[in-house]
């Protein structure tokens, strides 16, 4: 190995006067490719070697690869587009989306990808969509579902890899999913084991959009084929397998106010209901509030369950719910992006969920 140059201020520097990755490699006594791997956080570089490379970089004032040069060389921007709710602001009001994006960002940050948040609904006719012009190497659909279907032709036209978290479902999208159906089945079976038979379900089955009045009340298995979102349809099918005579109310949104409004409609139409299964924990919290408005105690008079396993600070009872690995599914999506951009063909991922007993489920009063 040749000793690095020692010409005054140009010590260990390339022709431009700035230290290069080759200079760092030479000073650390490793190959340029090994030095490059160290800066990309690869686990193929042993820790003592990594520290030697970083020390050499520090001594030379080298801060890392030039992102513009790297992009030109690789034909990439180093940016991953993350499609969220129909409006970006909505994603930051959704604890499920926040936790998922936290894990996704952690994973993408680790390998040096920048992230660009994009709205999940195509722009109005005549207005350019950011996906038409902004440079992205891959696209992740970060919040569930077929809400994003109208964007797919545009993303496909870019010819970039696509990863979906619980959707959209298509052959050219590598998916990270959770065991929605299995988790719902186990939760419903738990409610059934407590002795409940008069059950209502609160779900938002339509695409994202403005809030609207809840309703109608209909059988849980009504018009399932018309529900485009496979995840929601699968959960309803799981409930129907356990409670064939359950009722369903379409929630006007996915927040606690929508949950309370849907629960009121359900309890007005079916006052004998002893258990409410909600699509998410926030809807379930709204159902708890609606029950208490009527003087019903939870869980003594009404069992309420949720789905997601998030923290709800304003709810004084821990929910009986299904906990899904929100941050981990985001991390998995980031891993899939990395593998796809490296030329791999990763298999889709299905992640397990856990039923959390909580304190909002109990036997119905008539069985006590």
């Amino acid at each position: 190995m040749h000793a690095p140059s020692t010409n005054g201020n140009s010590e260990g520097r390339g022709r431009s006067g700035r230290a290069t990755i080759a200079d760092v490699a030479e000073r650390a006594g490793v190959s340029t490719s090994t030095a490059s791997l160290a800066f990309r956080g690869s686990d193929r570089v042993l820790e003592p070697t990594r520290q030697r490379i970083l020390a050499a970089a520090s001594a030379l004032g080298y801060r890392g690869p030039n992102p513009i040069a790297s992009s030109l060389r690789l034909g990439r921007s180093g940016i991953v587009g993350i499609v969220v709710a129909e409006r970006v602001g909505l994603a930051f009001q959704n604890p499920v989306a926040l936790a998922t994006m936290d894990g996704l960002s952690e994973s993408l940050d680790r390998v040096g990808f920048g992230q660009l948040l994009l709205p999940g609904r195509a722009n109005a006719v005549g207005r350019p969509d950011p996906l038409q012009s902004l440079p992205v190497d891959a696209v992740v659909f970060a919040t569930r579902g077929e809400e994003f279907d109208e964007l797919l032709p545009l993303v496909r036209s870019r010819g970039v890899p696509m990863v979906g978290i619980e959707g959209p479902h298509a052959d050219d999208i590598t998916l990270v999913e959770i065991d929605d159906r299995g988790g719902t089945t186990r939760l419903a079976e738990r409610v059934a084991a407590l002795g409940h038979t008069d059950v209502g379900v609160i779900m938002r089955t339509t695409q994202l959009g403005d809030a609207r009045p809840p309703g109608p009340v209909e059988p849980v298995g009504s018009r399932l084929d018309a529900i485009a979102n496979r995840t929601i349809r699968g959960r309803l099918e799981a409930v129907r397998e356990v409670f064939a005579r359950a009722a369903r109310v379409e929630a006007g949104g996915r927040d606690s106010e929508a949950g309370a409004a849907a629960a009121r409609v359900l309890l007005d139409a079916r006052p004998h209901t002893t258990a409410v299964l909600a699509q998410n924990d926030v809807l379930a919290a709204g159902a708890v509030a609606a029950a208490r408005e009527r003087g019903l105690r939870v869980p003594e008079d009404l069992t309420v369950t949720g789905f997601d396993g998030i923290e709800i600070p304003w709810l004084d009872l821990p929910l009986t719910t299904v906990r899904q690995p929100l941050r981990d599914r985001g991390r998995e999506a980031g891993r899939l992006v990395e593998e796809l951009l490296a030329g791999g063909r990763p298999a889709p991922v299905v992640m397990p969920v856990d039923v959390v007993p909580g304190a909002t489920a109990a036997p119905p009063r008539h069985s006590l």
Side-chain angles (χ1 to χ4, degrees):
M1 182 186 74
H2 299 290
S5 170
T6 56
N7 287 331
N9 293 335
S10 63
E11 177 183 351
R13 298 177 184 272
R15 294 178 182 177
S16 67
R18 297 178 181 177
T20 67
I21 189 69
D23 298 328
V24 173
E26 184 177 11
R27 187 180 184 100
V30 299
S31 67
T32 301
S33 60
T34 298
S36 179
L37 286 171
F39 273 95
R40 282 161 33 201
S42 173
D43 56 9
R44 292 164 56 189
V45 180
L46 296 176
E47 190 57 28
T49 304
R50 185 193 315 278
Q51 292 302 321
R52 192 165 75 250
I53 292 167
L54 294 178
S58 178
L60 294 172
Y62 179 75
R63 302 302 180 190
N66 184 311
I68 296 176
S70 297
S71 299
L72 291 173
R73 185 172 63 254
L74 298 173
R76 292 179 181 168
S77 67
I79 298 172
V80 174
I82 301 175
V83 180
V84 288
E86 58 186 35
R87 297 196 303 273
V88 170
L90 291 179
F92 294 97
Q93 301 172 23
N94 183 336
V96 172
L98 278 175
T100 300
M101 288 192 293
D102 184 49
L104 174 59
S105 181
E106 176 187 321
S107 184
L108 294 176
D109 282 345
R110 180 181 57 79
V111 290
F113 287 117
Q115 296 127 62
L116 177 66
L117 290 181
L118 298 165
R121 176 173 289 179
N123 283 354
V125 175
R127 294 181 58 191
D129 194 285
L131 277 171
Q132 290 178 321
S133 57
L134 293 172
V136 294
D137 298 332
V139 169
V140 178
F141 296 97
T143 52
R144 173 183 51 230
E146 278 64 24
E147 291 90 359
F148 303 128
D149 277 358
E150 59 191 274
L151 281 179
L152 291 182
L154 180 56
V155 181
R156 287 188 175 114
S157 72
R158 298 293 303 271
V160 298
M162 293 182 287
V163 172
I165 300 177
E166 291 197 83
H169 296 81
D171 291 341
D172 55 352
I173 299 176
T174 306
L175 285 176
V176 177
E177 298 193 89
I178 64 166
D179 186 14
D180 277 286
R181 187 163 186 150
T184 301
T185 297
R186 296 199 301 275
L187 183 64
E189 289 173 342
R190 185 179 189 88
V191 172
L194 291 171
H196 293 277
T197 57
D198 296 318
V199 173
V201 179
I202 298 173
M203 283 211 177
R204 178 71 181 264
T205 64
T206 59
Q207 293 185 350
L208 291 171
D210 294 332
R212 64 185 193 183
V217 179
E218 55 190 337
V220 68
S222 177
R223 300 179 293 107
L224 291 183
D225 291 343
I227 299 174
N229 191 300
R230 295 188 193 181
T231 300
I232 295 173
R233 187 169 68 243
R235 290 191 192 178
L236 289 171
E237 289 169 347
V239 173
R240 183 182 59 179
E241 290 173 2
V242 180
F243 297 109
R245 296 187 294 109
R248 180 176 102 220
V249 175
E250 178 75 13
R254 290 175 181 164
D255 55 17
S256 59
E257 290 80 7
R264 292 184 196 109
V265 169
L266 174 66
L267 295 173
D268 282 344
R270 295 169 61 97
H272 53 279
T273 298
T274 63
V276 174
L277 280 61
Q279 173 185 347
N280 65 41
D281 290 342
V282 179
L283 286 176
V288 171
R292 288 173 172 174
E293 288 173 2
R294 294 167 181 257
L296 298 175
R297 299 168 301 163
V298 176
E300 294 85 354
D301 301 319
L302 184 70
T303 281
V304 178
T305 69
F307 199 107
D308 288 333
I310 63 171
E311 292 185 9
I312 304 181
W314 67 88
L315 186 62
D316 58 356
L317 287 174
L319 273 172
T320 298
T321 188
V322 173
R323 180 173 53 219
Q324 58 168 312
L326 297 171
R327 284 179 176 78
D328 284 346
R329 70 181 192 171
R331 294 185 186 103
E332 277 295 294
R335 181 189 65 79
L336 292 177
V337 168
E338 182 183 8
E339 191 169 341
L340 285 164
L341 289 176
R345 300 181 64 181
V349 176
V350 178
M351 306 188 75
V353 297
D354 300 312
V355 175
V356 179
T360 59
R365 282 181 300 170
H366 62 72
S367 67
L368 296 177

